[in-house]
Structure formats: structure tokens, C-alpha cells
Amino acid sequence: MTQAGWYADPYGGGGHRWWDGTKWTDHVNATPVQQAQPQPQPQQPVPQQGGGPVLHKTRYGVELHADAHAITWDGTTIELARAEFVGYTAVQTRMRGPLNIGSVHTSTDYHFEIGFFPVNQAPAIAFEETGLRANTPPSDWQFLVDLSRTYVEPRLLRQFLAAIEAGQTVDVGKVRINRDGFVGGNVSRGWDGIEGVSFDKGWYFVHARGAGKPILRVPQQNQNVMLLPRIFDALKR
């Protein structure tokens, strides 16, 4: 979505990190890099010196600005370093033409959210692209998801694992997790015998070793649910 190149390392250290055009890599240069900055392209995310890629445009008369530090949409700004949850979904529906006549086509609704708990009370941003028939996710939605995966999810994962290690119980995607095990829906299990978590068609499935069917499924709409596979991998025995 943006031009690859060396940019100031968003993780600190004073060096430069290689942006491959879609994500930050593990390649770090501790010395200053002299590089001409590419010129911004209209209506596209562009590199920002010292902070990685930037998305800045007006959609339907509303400003959308997103970078490595914050996301602003419809007058609300959420700092990535402080956000307590993220969530994103791509939900497909099959539709026919008017009066249920004609060929069937697939429509996809894309949703992204970021903010603070409690949901629907504390500040949050919800961004949607609806009724799209293309197989490729819309670029603005994908940009926000990529920001989340790069700057928000690793921090939240570290915080959750540190809290669990300290003996606390955390809520991840409406699954309560601690050092002894987890509770979700009507399922309560310890970590012994847990295989892991998979994702398929809008659901995260918890698997036990030797079980033919998943023992728990969690919808992708739940906040922070994308962290479940990594948390379960870190805690299962």
C-alpha cells in the first residue's frame, strides 16, 4: 500500500527499520539512512518520516487520518499506545437480485473498531465498508487492520500475558483466562489437553487434543478475539 524503504524505527532505539510496503520487518539499521522520501499519491497511504505509513483523506465529508500514533475518524481520536481493544470482521452474505430473481452474488461487509472499555460507553472508533462484491479488502479498511496488527496487538498480547502470569484473570474476546485455565460460554477447562485455536468462516474454534469437534467457538465480532490463538499457544500444556 506504500512504497518500501527505511524509516525511523517506530519501536524506538534511534535507528531505522525496513518497511516492505505492507508491514514492518525485522531488518534494523542502527545508523541514519539517507533516503529521499517518496512524494504522496492522492488518496493513498504515504510514508511519514519518523512514523511509518499514513492514511489521510476525506470520506463522505468526514476526515480519516491514521498513522503509527493514532487513528482519527469522525472527530474522535484514539491513540494506538493506549487503546484497550481492537476488532475487525469481514462478513459475507449471499444475495439475489430484486424480487429474488437473477443470479446469486456475494456481498462483503468490512468492519473495524478500536477504543476503550466499557464498549458503547468509553471513546471508540467504528469504521465500515459495506456491500462490497470484490474479493479484495478495501484499502482503507486493510490499512487500519495493518496498523492494529503492527502497533496494537503485540502490546495487548504482552499486557494480557503479563497479567495472567501475575495471577490475574483477563477477558479476551469474552473468554476469561488465567493461569489455571479458561471459561467461555458453558465451557470451563484447564490447560492440560488443549490443542489450540483455529479460525474459519467468522469463528474462532478452541480444540482439545483427541476431540473430534471443537469444544468452544467464539465469534470474530468479539473485541480482541484475534489474540486468542497466541494466548492459548503460550499457556497450553
Side-chain angles (χ1 to χ4, degrees):
M1 298 193 308
T2 61
Q3 182 170 336
W6 291 100
Y7 301 100
D9 190 349
Y11 303 112
H16 289 71
R17 187 175 294 269
W18 182 258
W19 173 262
D20 67 4
T22 60
K23 64 181 183 302
W24 294 107
T25 70
D26 294 330
H27 302 295
V28 177
N29 189 330
T31 60
V33 175
Q34 299 298 324
Q35 175 178 317
Q37 298 298 311
Q39 294 299 313
Q41 299 298 317
Q43 300 296 304
Q44 293 293 327
V46 297
Q48 177 190 42
Q49 185 164 355
V54 174
L55 175 64
H56 191 182
K57 63 169 63 174
T58 300
R59 295 175 52 87
Y60 315 114
V62 179
E63 180 187 18
L64 170 62
H65 183 97
D67 57 31
H69 306 289
I71 298 174
T72 298
W73 171 245
D74 198 16
T76 298
T77 297
I78 303 294
E79 296 180 26
L80 302 188
R82 297 179 60 242
E84 296 177 344
F85 74 80
V86 291
Y88 39 84
T89 62
V91 179
Q92 291 187 339
T93 56
R94 293 173 61 82
M95 304 176 63
R96 288 188 179 273
L99 302 178
N100 208 30
I101 299 175
S103 61
V104 176
H105 70 268
T106 299
S107 174
T108 306
D109 295 338
Y110 295 89
H111 178 82
F112 174 87
E113 62 179 353
I114 185 171
F116 301 91
F117 293 113
V119 178
N120 298 326
Q121 298 181 38
I125 287 174
F127 178 87
E128 292 184 321
E129 299 261 23
T130 60
L132 302 183
R133 299 192 188 185
N135 293 326
T136 302
S139 60
D140 294 348
W141 178 87
Q142 188 64 60
F143 187 91
L144 298 178
V145 171
D146 289 343
L147 279 184
S148 165
R149 289 171 173 167
T150 302
Y151 299 105
V152 184
E153 292 178 31
R155 172 180 59 80
L156 291 177
L157 179 62
R158 292 192 300 269
Q159 291 176 354
F160 283 133
L161 290 177
I164 293 169
E165 179 64 25
Q168 301 176 31
T169 297
V170 300
D171 186 319
V172 182
K174 297 185 179 179
V175 178
R176 294 180 61 79
I177 303 171
N178 58 36
R179 287 186 296 188
D180 298 322
F182 66 92
V183 177
N186 296 321
V187 177
S188 178
R189 289 289 184 93
W191 294 114
D192 290 332
I194 295 299
E195 180 67 30
V197 181
S198 65
F199 177 80
D200 184 50
K201 297 178 180 178
W203 294 88
Y204 286 84
F205 296 94
V206 178
H207 303 272
R209 297 190 189 104
K213 295 181 179 180
I215 60 175
L216 175 67
R217 67 174 189 170
V218 186
Q220 66 173 338
Q221 288 86 353
N222 291 0
Q223 289 82 14
N224 293 330
V225 68
M226 78 293 294
L227 300 176
L228 281 183
R230 284 171 282 178
I231 291 177
F232 272 57
D233 283 345
L235 297 175
K236 67 183 183 182
R237 297 191 287 265

